[in-house]
Amino acid sequence: MRRDTFLKSLAALAAAGALPLPAMAAPNLKLLIPANPGGGWDTTGRALGRAILDSKQADTVTYDNKGGAAGALGLAQFLSGSKGDPNSLMVMGAVMLGGLITSKSPLNLMQCTPIARLTTEYNVFVLPSNSPFKTMADVVAQLKKDPGSVKWGGGSRGSTEHIAAAMIAQKVGVDPSKINYVAFRGGGEATAAILGGNVTVGGSGYSEFAEYIQTGKMKPIAVTSAQRLSSVNVPTLKEQGIDVELGNWRGVFAAPGITPAQRKTLTDLVVATTKSASWAESLKKNDWTSAVLTGDTFGKFVDDDFASLRAVMAKSGMTT
């Protein structure tokens, strides 16, 4: 067969769908991070992008940070600007659900396409290094004495650290609607407030505070996991008699309006990335727990978590 005839035959077969597409068709992925630089979503998004490149799942990855309103501003941009784009992904997680609930936002996350949950990270509560308090018991004692005098610093209203603070109050007999929670727009702002002693206690994912804990600039007093984290010698809330456990999961959604085949391609890309050495290194470095869940199962998980968070937040007065 002549070469030009052979090539024409291949082209015809490919157009008819008779030939499989290559696993990686050199996509140029766009990753929207609905948060300012320096926080958990930013760390997750850039670790994912680096692992995608290291495992050769894409030729390029570009990042777009759009912070504000617990991810709602980024979600609005993603909904309006990425429809039908098979090369766009958005990082998101439990914090976005909490933000949508507290703000009573009209945005519908499920208009986007669920791809995969990636990780669960547990919150750590810390004290400024010059704090007069030494333990979570000290904080709780002051909380019982005067709830408003304890300033809890963390991410946006409705974030997992906000919910955890309300749950702590509830478990120790304090009206959770009385807690004094100071919300910050990003991880960098919250960190600065804690280092400056402008809040009583701060909360976030361990990865955001790790360097300050290791250098003694922050004192960790509790984690929200069921058992102590393997690389972090910090007591759990449960160990300290406070029956609170809460994980901050993160994942990725694709654009609205993509086809089932495009969704599968993106899902396969993300799953392959989570099996890479680069991603395993990020899990270890940031003390993230792998929690991969894909497709419709992930979509149902998001729906169920949304309902569960709404119930907890309503009891804590966060939705009024």
Side-chain angles (χ1 to χ4, degrees), residues 73-105:
L73 294 185
L75 173 59
Q77 177 177 307
F78 195 66
L79 284 168
S80 64
S82 299
K83 188 172 182 179
D85 185 347
N87 291 325
S88 287
L89 290 172
M90 177 184 70
V91 178
M92 51 76 65
V95 171
M96 181 176 282
L97 304 190
L100 293 174
I101 292 167
T102 55
S103 66
K104 299 181 173 63
S105 173

Side-chain angles (χ1 to χ4, degrees), residues 129 191 195 206 208-220:
S129 60
T191 297
L195 293 174
Y206 179 79
E208 293 187 44
F209 293 160
E211 65 176 287
Y212 305 103
I213 291 172
Q214 290 162 8
T215 57
K217 293 179 180 178
M218 294 180 183
K219 177 177 175 57

Side-chain angles (χ1 to χ4, degrees), residues 97 108 110 296-308:
L97 304 190
N108 183 358
M110 298 309 287
D296 292 339
T297 305
F298 173 49
K300 184 179 185 305
F301 166 81
V302 173
D303 281 338
D304 291 346
D305 198 47
F306 195 89
S308 177

Side-chain angles (χ1 to χ4, degrees), residues 50-172:
R50 184 168 57 251
I52 286 171
L53 294 175
D54 288 349
S55 59
K56 304 189 186 305
Q57 298 300 314
D59 282 349
T60 64
V61 176
T62 57
Y63 307 93
D64 182 11
N65 286 83
K66 181 68 174 179
L73 294 185
L75 173 59
Q77 177 177 307
F78 195 66
L79 284 168
S80 64
S82 299
K83 188 172 182 179
D85 185 347
N87 291 325
S88 287
L89 290 172
M90 177 184 70
V91 178
M92 51 76 65
V95 171
M96 181 176 282
L97 304 190
L100 293 174
I101 292 167
T102 55
S103 66
K104 299 181 173 63
S105 173
L107 298 175
N108 183 358
L109 172 63
M110 298 309 287
Q111 286 180 320
C112 302
T113 307
I115 296 296
R117 185 182 67 188
L118 299 172
T119 63
T120 293
E121 182 178 23
Y122 295 98
N123 289 117
V124 59
F125 284 104
V126 298
L127 299 171
S129 60
N130 62 350
S131 172
F133 302 128
K134 303 301 179 186
T135 65
M136 179 58 78
D138 294 339
V139 174
V140 168
Q142 182 63 29
L143 185 68
K144 289 179 176 180
K145 182 179 177 181
D146 181 5
S149 68
V150 177
K151 293 174 68 175
W152 301 81
S156 55
R157 181 174 160 82
S159 63
T160 50
E161 53 267 31
H162 187 187
I163 294 168
M167 292 171 72
I168 290 169
Q170 188 175 41
K171 293 295 184 181
V172 301

Side-chain angles (χ1 to χ4, degrees), residues 14-38:
L19 286 179
L21 291 172
M24 193 275 283
N28 301 301
L29 283 177
K30 291 169 281 186
L31 193 56
L32 189 138
I33 301 171
N36 296 325

